[in-house]
Amino acid sequence: MKLILLGAPGAGKGTVAKLLTQLDGSVQISTGDILRGAVQAGSDLGKQAKAYMDRGDLVPDELIMGIMEKRLEPDCQKGFLLDGFPRTIPQAEDLKKLLVKLGIKLDMAVNIDVPRNVILDRLTTRRTCSNTKCQAIYNVKSMPPKKEGICDKCGSPVVQREDETEAAISHRLDTYNKKTAPLIGFYDKEGMLLTVSATSSEAVIDAIKKKLGT
Ligand code: ADP
């Protein structure tokens, strides 16, 4: 599978991507996970990205394209699920050029469409594994870890992300509407868009499988 996952923060891109990797060995490439890993490691990339991320602003396109050029080449043969990228029209245009250069054809861009009230509720109750190699996602209401505050998969503390305060969440949603939502029209024009209006990840997976004919 070679897919782009589009959708607001909290729409479930990460959860859907993780489920899809189990189907055929495609790899999840999450720019958010890569950036949080870089911030925790204190690398140059992390130092440049941190302030933007904490405010709920997008990291500059050049930084993101640098990451993606390095990641897509080795991973493209296995298939990939782009989670959180592209997020602006310039990123989508650069991705298009990069895919031509690498000789890769995307299957489609999946727009996961979830009502705003569901998104707000999810983001304030979401918790994430603090181990950057794991980053498993939980929800205090609907999917708590078996042992409170401890990741089921790796035993590390499960925490609330720094950009998941109410102010940062509201700013991230505004940024999404301004900068990322236009990508829906972009991929529609390219004839590549599948919109799925569903709040359950399983329903999203079923719609993707049906469209791919698998
Ligand atoms: P969410 O989709 O829940 O907002 P992510 O984990 O995808 O969260 O991203 C967290 C933060 O990382 C974003 O708010 C932004 O600052 C930065 N980021 C991630 N991907 C990109 C991207 N493609 N372009 C610019 N900034 C990005």
Side-chain angles (χ1 to χ4, degrees):
M1 270 181 281
K2 297 185 176 76
L3 301 184
I4 294 174
L5 298 173
L6 292 175
K13 300 182 295 291
T15 309
V16 165
K18 285 194 175 76
L19 290 169
L20 289 172
T21 59
Q22 293 162 14
L23 294 181
D24 73 346
S26 299
V27 294
Q28 175 190 13
I29 306 180
S30 157
T31 40
D33 286 353
I34 295 170
L35 291 168
R36 279 187 290 280
V39 169
Q40 217 173 68
S43 67
D44 278 349
L45 171 66
K47 282 183 198 140
Q48 292 179 72
K50 187 173 187 321
Y52 296 100
M53 295 174 73
D54 286 349
R55 282 197 301 270
D57 277 334
L58 293 181
V59 169
D61 290 335
E62 309 77 67
L63 279 182
I64 298 291
M65 288 316 298
I67 298 174
M68 290 311 295
E69 278 170 25
K70 270 193 228 125
R71 271 306 292 275
L72 265 181
E73 192 155 14
D75 283 340
C76 60
Q77 303 309 336
K78 293 174 235 164
F80 50 80
L81 308 154
L82 300 182
D83 159 17
F85 171 86
R87 238 180 172 96
T88 63
I89 294 281
Q91 288 180 19
E93 276 164 354
D94 281 353
L95 173 65
K96 194 172 163 184
K97 286 183 213 140
L98 180 61
L99 292 175
V100 169
K101 197 171 99 188
L102 296 172
I104 305 173
K105 197 180 164 304
L106 281 175
D107 296 318
M108 61 186 160
V110 182
N111 171 32
I112 309 175
D113 186 23
V114 175
R116 191 182 163 96
N117 59 333
V118 177
I119 297 255
L120 280 174
D121 189 52
R122 276 189 192 167
L123 289 176
T124 45
T125 51
R126 176 154 86 177
R127 300 292 181 272
T128 308
C129 174
S130 57
N131 172 1
T132 51
K133 295 211 175 67
C134 177
Q135 304 209 30
I137 298 164
Y138 298 92
N139 185 290
V140 287
K141 280 198 210 156
S142 59
M143 210 191 20
K146 291 196 186 82
K147 206 169 148 203
E148 201 188 324
I150 301 292
C151 179
D152 295 347
K153 296 196 177 105
C154 75
S156 303
V158 167
V159 298
Q160 185 159 25
R161 274 169 38 180
E162 279 184 39
D163 63 351
E164 275 169 4
T165 60
E166 236 166 87
I169 288 171
S170 146
H171 191 57
R172 273 161 63 207
L173 290 175
D174 288 347
T175 307
Y176 171 79
N177 287 332
K178 264 190 231 132
K179 304 254 175 83
T180 310
L183 294 182
I184 296 168
F186 180 96
Y187 287 108
D188 194 21
K189 254 196 224 141
E190 301 264 310
M192 270 206 253
L193 188 73
L194 170 71
T195 291
V196 188
S197 299
T199 48
S200 103
S201 306
E202 286 69 28
V204 178
I205 305 276
D206 286 346
I208 293 172
K209 280 203 215 154
K210 194 164 155 212
K211 183 80 178 182
L212 288 174
T214 53

